[in-house]
Amino acid sequence: MTSLTLRSRVAVAAGKGASWASRRLGRGSGGMIGGKVALKLDPNLLAELAKNRRSVVVSGTNGKSTTTRLLRAALFSIGHVASNTNGDNMTPGITTALMRSDAPLAALEVDEMHMPTVSRFVDPQAMVLLNLSRDQLDRVGEIGAVERRLRKAVNEHPNAVVIANCDDPLVASAAWDSPNVQWVAAGHAWMGDSTAFPRGGRVIHSDDSWRVVPLTASSSDEGLDQYRRPDPLWWLEDEDLSDPSHPSATACRKDGLRIPLRLSLPGRANLSNALEALAAAVAMGVDPQAACRAMSEVVEVAGRYSTYEIHGRLARLMLAKNPAGWQEAMYMIDPSVDQVIVAINGQVADGQDLSWLWDVDFSVLGAPHRKVYACGERGADLAVRLEYAGVHCELFPLPMDALQSCIPGRVEILLNYTALRDFKRVLDSHRQAEEAE
């Protein structure tokens, strides 16, 4: 940071001081407050911090943190990497991440609505666009507004390599105008939010493809026939989900490259995240084999997928934040586990409008002999929804209350954002107390 201006150095010092104070007072990691203070003193600080780095930005509704973590691991094979590992993905959080590291590379998770601003400051070498679906309607608004934000970021950086999911029509629309797009067949299981195409017309899904047609037979939207699923440069073959905790596949590229990909993170969705991370890492100059080896060693993402032993109960934590994410997360549950805890809060960071609960098929949680527990600030709302889905549950105020009622053995725990954050603090305190004894 020796090349920073005097104003920027003062801003960094003040920001680091604010972050330190936040941690000391137990107010949080300091990831947001540090950046906020620093940017007040130097509004151009993020550009100053990013100007001598090669950066990749990762955005989308689901999978940002995991994809960024996988990408960070892959990039480490060619140099040190700065990253907002705690998920502080708005402009202040990203500023804090770059204040804390002089690394020549950066893998940055970016909130969808902040993509144009962050990209303008960071000038990324590559952009990764994962998927788009409804998320925090009370903060973000309708999905078309999100697509326009991503499209703006893409169009303002024509030299960036854009790694985009060709199976998601909304992502395809956002990336369509890029002269350097690399299409990745990352899948798109949740189709409920991609019936209307942002550039006009409606989306028709068929098998593994999609195309855009006029809204009605009598309308004549010219040019819509050009919008259809692009041919991917990257895709997966030979997917093996027989071991839920270690999914594997072969990553394939159009030029004939085939690489075994095995993860230590659960679920098919994480294979998709890894494929886009692989494409981005290769675009940044990483050897494909080295990237896959590095990604296979990632076992948790900011507490997600981590396990805790509490009096003989082995609890694994998983995060879900919106309809698409919940649907994917429920398929990550190991079918051999017969105790599942689901926790829902309704704080600002979660989105206070939980009407989307009725769009999710919770019936997949039901299984013979499985006990399901609902909890959290909005646990009663969740319990009603589960009962309507035919899943009988027991209601508890807090995840720890539910966990203590479980018998010794494995427990799968699905939580939304603040529920995971708060429960992880409880579990970490419990672990520290045991270690101190």
Side-chain angles (χ1 to χ4, degrees):
M1 295 184 189
T2 56
S3 63
L4 295 180
T5 65
L6 176 60
R7 181 178 184 178
S8 294
R9 291 199 297 272
V10 170
V12 168
K16 287 183 175 179
S19 291
W20 176 85
S22 178
R23 293 192 298 272
R24 290 284 293 177
L25 294 171
R27 302 295 295 272
S29 68
M32 288 295 287
I33 189 62
K36 285 182 177 180
V37 169
L39 289 169
K40 282 287 186 182
L41 296 174
D42 183 359
N44 198 51
L45 179 60
L46 182 52
E48 286 288 311
L49 293 169
K51 66 183 179 183
N52 294 319
R53 308 180 202 246
R54 299 170 58 219
S55 300
V56 186
V57 294
V58 179
S59 197
T61 308
N62 292 300
K64 293 188 292 293
S65 295
T66 301
T67 304
T68 303
R69 179 66 185 89
L70 293 167
L71 177 57
R72 176 172 175 253
L75 290 174
F76 257 113
S77 64
I78 59 172
H80 290 288
V81 186
S83 190
N84 47 337
T85 53
N86 289 324
D88 300 311
N89 59 22
M90 298 181 186
T91 308
I94 292 163
T95 302
T96 301
L98 296 191
M99 288 194 307
R100 292 174 173 173
S101 173
D102 289 320
L105 301 168
L108 303 172
E109 173 188 342
V110 185
D111 178 85
E112 302 93 289
M113 301 303 285
H114 285 245
M115 270 289 282
T117 301
V118 170
S119 298
R120 196 173 305 123
F121 284 123
V122 169
D123 191 22
Q125 185 170 336
M127 297 179 171
V128 181
L129 306 183
L130 301 169
N131 48 66
L132 284 180
S133 64
R134 280 171 296 152
D135 185 34
Q136 297 186 32
L137 293 177
D138 44 1
R139 176 179 75 89
V140 174
E142 52 90 20
I143 195 66
V146 184
E147 186 274 341
R148 289 191 292 273
R149 299 293 286 176
L150 294 187
R151 193 195 311 185
K152 179 178 176 63
V154 168
N155 291 348
E156 289 179 349
H157 295 82
N159 294 325
V161 177
V162 178
I163 309 299
N165 181 2
C166 67
D167 290 318
D168 187 329
L170 299 176
V171 165
S173 176
W176 200 271
D177 300 326
S178 170
N180 294 306
V181 64
Q182 294 187 7
W183 298 110
V184 178
H188 185 52
W190 182 269
M191 298 180 184
D193 299 316
S194 58
T195 54
F197 195 63
R199 298 173 183 242
R202 58 191 177 97
V203 180
I204 301 296
H205 296 273
S206 59
D207 298 327
D208 294 328
S209 189
W210 58 267
R211 60 190 176 92
V212 177
V213 300
L215 287 172
T216 65
S218 60
S219 61
S220 57
D221 296 319
E222 294 184 4
L224 287 181
D225 56 351
Q226 68 172 307
Y227 298 118
R228 57 185 64 241
R229 180 182 184 268
D231 291 331
L233 177 67
W234 292 88
W235 65 90
L236 294 171
E237 291 183 357
D238 307 321
E239 294 180 29
D240 183 359
L241 304 178
S242 57
D243 181 348
S245 298
H246 294 277
S248 63
T250 300
C252 304
R253 194 169 64 184
K254 204 168 186 177
D255 61 4
L257 181 70
R258 296 175 61 87
I259 314 166
L261 177 62
R262 180 175 171 81
L263 299 181
S264 298
L265 301 177
R268 199 272 172 203
N270 282 325
L271 285 175
S272 298
N273 294 332
L275 183 63
E276 293 209 54
L278 172 63
V282 172
M284 293 288 286
V286 179
D287 174 75
Q289 301 280 357
C292 288
R293 284 195 300 271
M295 292 191 297
S296 71
E297 297 174 1
V298 176
V299 297
E300 61 93 24
V301 181
R304 303 163 200 183
Y305 314 115
S306 57
T307 58
Y308 292 80
E309 185 174 359
I310 306 293
H311 303 308
R313 303 165 183 87
L314 191 63
R316 181 171 69 162
L317 309 184
M318 289 184 282
L319 174 72
K321 299 183 291 184
N322 48 59
W326 276 97
Q327 208 68 70
E328 289 286 357
M330 286 187 288
Y331 287 115
M332 293 182 188
I333 293 174
D334 189 327
S336 67
V337 176
D338 56 10
Q339 300 180 105
V340 175
I341 297 171
V342 186
I344 292 281
N345 285 352
Q347 299 179 26
V348 172
D350 304 304
Q352 296 172 306
D353 178 0
L354 297 185
S355 59
W356 55 262
L357 283 171
W358 295 90
D359 297 329
V360 178
D361 180 12
F362 283 100
S363 66
V364 298
L365 288 177
H369 312 299
R370 173 177 285 168
K371 296 204 70 172
V372 178
Y373 304 86
C375 52
E377 296 171 349
R378 304 291 289 272
D381 297 296
L382 172 64
V384 170
R385 176 67 189 98
L386 290 175
E387 293 289 348
Y388 269 92
V391 179
H392 178 66
C393 66
E394 293 185 36
L395 179 62
F396 289 88
L398 298 171
M400 184 57 85
D401 299 326
L403 182 60
Q404 290 173 339
S405 74
C406 293
I407 63 172
R410 296 174 62 195
V411 184
E412 298 277 50
I413 306 182
L414 301 182
L415 312 100
N416 68 350
Y417 180 74
T418 66
L420 175 66
R421 179 198 66 192
D422 297 345
F423 188 41
K424 187 175 183 300
R425 288 174 182 166
V426 173
L427 293 172
D428 286 339
S429 296
H430 184 277
R431 177 180 285 174
Q432 291 168 4
E434 285 194 334
E435 292 173 351
E437 291 179 355

